[in-house]
């Protein structure tokens, strides 16, 4: 056990604490970068052909939002009855057409 009444022991403990804190902070920062690069889209980005799809694939935040939106859509679709599902599919296709039209124009 380290006696904390000596100056050397306190300095050593402070250095160990400093190194541990910086190690944790660097680890968190590094893992955030790695996670951002591996965020999936709701579709295969290697097969992206539309301008909007390519743009989604180029931005981690857009891939994340696309994935979250697709997940929500699948949950609503699974919970809906047949007639509501047909309407939901129609609305989603209409929304995607409008998204593609507006995003390409801007």
């Amino acid at each position: 056990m380290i006696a904390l009444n000596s100056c050397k022991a306190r300095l050593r403990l402070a250095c160990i604490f400093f190194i541990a804190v910086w190690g944790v902070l660097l680890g968190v920062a590094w893992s955030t970068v790695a996670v951002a690069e591996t965020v999936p889209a709701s579709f295969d980005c290697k097969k992206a052909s539309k301008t909007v799809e390519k743009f989604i694939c180029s931005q981690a935040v857009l891939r994340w939002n696309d994935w979250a939106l697709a997940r929500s859509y699948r949950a609503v679709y699974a919970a809906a009855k047949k007639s509501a599902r047909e309407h939901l599919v129609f609305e989603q296709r209409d929304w995607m057409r409008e998204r593609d039209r507006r995003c390409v124009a801007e």
Side-chain angles (χ1 to χ4, degrees), residues 3-70:
L4 294 181
N5 50 2
S6 76
C7 187
K8 264 186 176 179
R10 281 184 277 182
L11 183 59
R12 187 177 308 159
L13 189 60
C15 285
I16 291 170
F17 178 76
F18 180 78
I19 291 169
V21 167
W22 274 104
V24 169
L25 291 176
L26 288 174
V28 168
W30 183 257
S31 68
T32 302
V33 170
V35 169
E37 292 173 354
T38 59
V39 172
S42 65
F43 55 91
D44 186 355
C45 283
K46 292 176 185 173
K47 296 178 182 177
S49 59
K50 296 179 181 179
T51 303
V52 173
E53 291 171 341
K54 291 176 183 177
F55 188 64
I56 289 170
C57 290
S58 73
Q59 305 287 323
V61 68
L62 295 178
R63 290 190 311 269
W64 179 259
N65 286 326
D66 177 69
W67 180 83
L69 184 61

